Amino acid sequence: MIENLLVANRGEIALRIFRSCRDAGIGTVAVYSDADAAAPHVEAADAAIRLPGDAPAQTYLRADAIVAAATSAGADAVHPGYGFLSENADFARAVTGAGLTWVGPPAEAIEAMGSKVEAKRIMADAGVPVLPELDPREVTESDLPVLVKASAGGGGRGMRVVRELRELESAVDSASAEAASAFGDPTVFCERYLETGRHIEVQLMADTHGTVWAVGERECSIQRRHQKVVEEAPSPLVDDAMRQRLFEAARAAARAIGYVGAGTVEFLATPSGEFHFLEMNTRLQVEHPVTECTTGTDLVELQLRIAQGHALPSEPPAPSGHAIEVRLYAEDPAQGWTPRSGPLHRFAVPGVTAEFAVPSRHGIRLDSGVTDGTVVSVHYDPMLAKVIAWGPDRRSTARMLAAALAKARVHGVGTNRDLLVNVLRHPAFLEGDTDTAFLDRHGIDTLSAPLADERAVRLSSLAAALADAARNRAEAGVLGGLPSGWRNVAAPPQRKSYTASDGSHHEVRYRLGRDGLWSPDFTDVTLVGAKPERVVLEIAGVRRRFDVARYPGLVTVDSPLGPVSLAPVPRFTDPDAELAAGSLVAPMPGTVVRVAVSQGERVRAGEALLFLEAMKMEHRIAAPADGVVAQLPVSVGQQVELGAVLAVVNTEE
């Protein structure tokens, strides 16, 4: 029996596993890096062990330190979660070698699927359809396009699409470096790249008594950088006949390697219903909640029971309804999916009926690793939370999830929230017309467009100014009952300026007097009421509420017109703070891992100048225009902060 379990992970997956442990009466142990010392998963555990350092290689990827932590905390079992060491066979052996229960598949099964090259061979021998592997050294023009892929790991890391042969060598080098950093294995291979495939996967659960469940399929076709963004169950592509063939192939894959526990077999499918094996994830998946919602099954509970030797019933539970999950990331989709870091001042999703558990009725589930005040670190994946909707059918579920996201309070670090809502409301998505090229086909600029249009931003700026005026009056030491800026003679309007998150500038001109609000820019707007946290405006006869929150250098305005983030513009600026023309600044804190040019060198627009590693990804910093590298103040290995100058390119006349 498992009495005390250590989760060798962090964030929302650690919290998810702790929830099932609490239900089962199992004690919990967390591990944490220095960057995670105040993280929610540390607070939630019965005991916590520090792993000195910040980077994954120093902390969550150290098998010896984690096994030692389990022993010192009195844990008798280890659950790896996903990512980090979850698919590391040596770690599984280290856990069992220390006399601990491993909540996962046998090390031999992990090893068999750990190399995607070897996995393809095993699957082909088992009769599972596969895409042939290509040696990067032997790829020819006729093979293009190809996908360069890390042999170890997953999550979109160590993957590059190559459409021109001259780009292959650079792509292999870059993917190999990223794979080595993320998984400790630089091995990569190539396979034919299908531009418009659909990503279908089958959830497996197998016990030690010979029962193998196919617990339903999921579709995860909407991806960025080969990493899933939207997942759902069941797939709108899969009919009963195709489902049967998928389940048979997945069960054959599990039996071929003697699989035990929770795992997922991933396939790339065509619109006609053909499919090919991609890989097998020998762990719990990020998107497991959609399967839990549609089957009413706690997959983590089943993992724990199987690890203790219990047998599964002969048949899996029948599915019901439809579930959709979105991954909320701290990133900017319009800027090449650049990860963001910094404080998340406020995070609240309305209408949540369950956290880390199947809702008792159709509704919203939230699996979140952040809380109000969490500081998003540069050291780990930028996923903040998973928001899941479960409903009676696909369209109503998508509508429910989009509404919850649009109304969520997400204040501080930038996220992909607007893109997620736009995808869920897109006609093609609602029709089930999804594939791995969805984002490219419909355009990132369109899909990442703000939910609040230009008019909504202007009205939100007015509300922010009026809320600020109300706060000033509320805090006034004397004559607090007088309107802001009051004069007993005619006076010009007050002015306040804001910069929106899209870079647009908004100046608000207004005056408050006996007759209420007057503004030359909002002649159809009447002020109904203004408090420091809430402003009510009547706009062309329609009354609307604007909720206003303030943080250092930031004002957020939430309304049914869409969320708006504003930076107050100071009346006076420091000229020393202005950057030189042509300056390229760090989009996030990180480490310079490669410098491709030297000072004084001529460069072309789009040419790589250097590469920055942050949030487990490698980011390319390119020349904005033709010119000469006038300054290059960084070197390989240097840590840089957000906004630090990386290079200055003087553009040619």
Side-chain angles (χ1 to χ4, degrees):
M1 294 292 292
I2 296 175
E3 300 291 342
N4 201 21
L5 180 133
L6 180 143
V7 177
N9 219 294
R10 62 181 299 278
E12 54 85 24
I13 186 56
L15 290 165
R16 164 68 189 90
I17 297 165
F18 291 163
R19 200 274 303 160
S20 288
C21 285
R22 284 195 300 272
D23 290 351
I26 296 172
T28 55
V29 180
V31 289
Y32 65 93
S33 67
D34 291 338
D36 278 341
H41 79 278
V42 179
E43 296 294 322
D46 297 328
I49 306 292
R50 173 179 175 245
L51 303 174
D54 292 321
Q58 301 170 309
T59 54
Y60 300 107
L61 288 174
R62 281 195 57 193
D64 59 335
I66 291 173
V67 171
T71 302
S72 64
D76 54 7
V78 172
H79 192 305
Y82 46 68
F84 295 127
L85 293 170
S86 62
E87 295 180 282
N88 187 303
D90 290 338
F91 179 52
R93 290 191 180 97
V95 169
T96 56
L100 307 172
T101 298
W102 169 249
V103 184
E108 294 74 21
I110 298 174
E111 206 158 49
M113 295 294 102
S115 165
K116 293 183 176 63
V117 175
E118 179 65 10
K120 281 176 173 286
R121 185 192 63 76
I122 295 173
M123 293 300 104
D125 290 345
V128 179
V130 301
L131 285 171
E133 175 212 345
L134 302 172
D135 187 324
R137 296 168 297 182
E138 298 175 1
V139 171
T140 65
E141 197 78 38
S142 62
D143 295 319
L144 299 177
V146 297
L147 180 65
V148 180
K149 200 170 183 179
S151 183
R157 299 180 185 89
M159 298 175 73
R160 302 288 187 275
V161 177
V162 177
R163 292 185 171 84
E164 295 186 28
L165 205 56
R166 60 185 176 85
E167 298 174 353
L168 180 61
E169 183 177 356
S170 174
V172 168
D173 291 344
S174 179
S176 180
E178 192 169 274
S181 173
F183 316 121
D185 183 352
T187 305
V188 298
F189 66 98
C190 295
E191 66 185 18
R192 183 165 58 95
Y193 181 61
L194 303 181
E195 298 275 5
T196 58
R198 296 180 69 144
H199 189 118
I200 311 294
E201 59 188 35
V202 178
Q203 174 69 58
L204 293 172
M205 190 65 70
D207 63 20
T208 56
H209 305 277
T211 300
V212 180
W213 280 0
V215 201
E217 89 283 351
R218 300 183 285 257
E219 178 157 346
C220 312
S221 295
I222 298 180
Q223 305 178 2
R224 58 96 167 111
R225 288 180 168 177
H226 311 290
Q227 192 169 41
K228 303 160 191 172
V229 178
V230 181
E231 303 108 341
E232 59 182 308
S235 165
L237 172 70
V238 178
D239 59 20
D240 289 341
M242 183 180 176
R243 182 171 293 112
Q244 185 64 30
R245 290 188 292 116
L246 281 165
F247 286 6
E248 288 173 358
R251 287 191 292 259
R255 292 192 173 101
I257 58 172
Y259 200 78
V260 172
T264 300
V265 184
E266 302 192 349
F267 300 95
L268 194 62
T270 66
S272 64
E274 294 181 41
F275 56 85
H276 298 89
F277 172 82
L278 280 178
E279 62 186 11
M280 182 174 184
N281 293 130
T282 53
R283 53 170 169 80
L284 198 65
Q285 292 280 84
V286 177
E287 57 273 20
H288 75 273
V290 295
T291 298
E292 292 189 322
C293 287
T294 52
T295 62
T297 302
D298 185 329
L299 294 178
V300 175
E301 178 192 7
L302 288 179
Q303 284 186 295
L304 296 171
R305 289 179 60 80
I306 288 169
Q308 296 174 89
H310 293 280
L312 293 169
S314 58
E315 295 295 331
S320 171
H322 200 96
I324 304 175
E325 170 183 300
V326 293
R327 303 187 191 187
L328 185 70
Y329 284 105
E331 66 183 10
D332 187 347
Q335 298 297 319
W337 309 100
T338 304
R340 297 301 188 202
S341 61
L344 181 65
H345 302 295
R346 175 87 170 115
F347 180 62
V349 179
V352 172
T353 56
E355 294 188 48
F356 303 106
V358 177
S360 58
R361 55 183 172 81
H362 290 155
I364 299 295
R365 166 176 169 172
L366 178 65
D367 285 21
S368 173
V370 297
T371 57
D372 293 354
T374 292
V375 176
V376 181
S377 167
V378 301
H379 299 290
Y380 314 113
D381 186 276
M383 189 174 75
L384 304 178
K386 303 179 305 197
V387 188
I388 307 102
W390 175 43
D393 57 74
R394 190 171 182 274
R395 278 183 173 265
S396 62
T397 301
R399 196 161 52 241
M400 182 199 316
L401 183 53
L405 286 168
K407 295 176 182 177
R409 301 290 193 258
V410 187
H411 299 167
V413 64
T415 72
N416 65 337
R417 184 256 300 271
D418 291 358
L419 175 132
L420 297 174
V421 174
N422 289 330
V423 167
L424 291 168
R425 291 174 173 170
H426 197 282
F429 179 83
L430 294 174
E431 290 297 324
D433 182 15
T434 58
D435 58 39
T436 54
F438 185 94
L439 299 180
D440 291 334
R441 186 169 64 255
H442 296 290
I444 294 301
D445 290 344
T446 299
L447 293 173
S448 63
L451 299 179
D453 61 17
E454 194 272 340
R455 169 75 168 163
V457 175
R458 290 180 60 242
L459 288 167
S460 296
S461 299
L462 173 63
L466 295 174
D468 193 46
R471 184 188 63 163
N472 290 340
R473 301 322 303 153
E475 295 177 352
V478 294
L479 301 178
L482 291 179
S484 175
W486 181 85
R487 300 288 187 275
N488 62 358
V489 295
Q494 292 183 273
R495 297 171 184 264
K496 289 182 180 176
S497 296
Y498 302 93
T499 299
S501 54
D502 64 358
S504 59
H505 183 78
H506 300 270
E507 183 181 65
V508 179
R509 299 179 296 168
Y510 70 97
R511 189 166 60 228
L512 296 170
R514 291 186 181 91
D515 298 327
L517 170 70
W518 174 85
S519 172
D521 306 310
F522 300 94
T523 57
D524 62 343
V525 176
T526 302
L527 175 62
V528 177
K531 296 180 180 179
E533 293 79 31
R534 178 170 295 173
V535 172
V536 180
L537 301 174
E538 189 172 286
I539 306 156
V542 179
R543 188 171 292 193
R544 297 193 184 277
R545 186 184 71 198
F546 298 81
D547 293 316
V548 182
R550 297 169 198 82
Y551 310 98
L554 175 68
V555 178
T556 63
V557 184
D558 291 291
S559 79
L561 299 178
V564 174
S565 294
L566 302 167
V569 177
R571 295 181 63 189
F572 306 102
T573 59
D574 181 0
D576 291 337
E578 296 184 7
L579 294 172
S583 295
L584 296 173
V585 299
M588 72 210 81
T591 303
V592 178
V593 292
R594 283 191 287 160
V595 176
V597 296
S598 56
Q599 189 169 333
E601 186 175 334
R602 287 187 175 276
V603 293
R604 302 294 299 272
E607 183 178 343
L609 305 180
L610 53 90
F611 294 84
L612 193 68
E613 185 178 78
M615 293 182 169
K616 300 167 73 175
M617 300 287 284
E618 190 174 272
H619 306 278
R620 184 174 180 267
I621 308 299
D626 294 354
V628 176
V629 180
Q631 296 179 38
L632 196 62
V634 296
S635 57
V636 173
Q638 182 175 336
Q639 298 277 336
V640 295
E641 295 300 319
L642 172 69
V645 176
L646 303 176
V648 177
V649 177
N650 285 346
T651 57
E652 298 176 334
E653 294 293 334

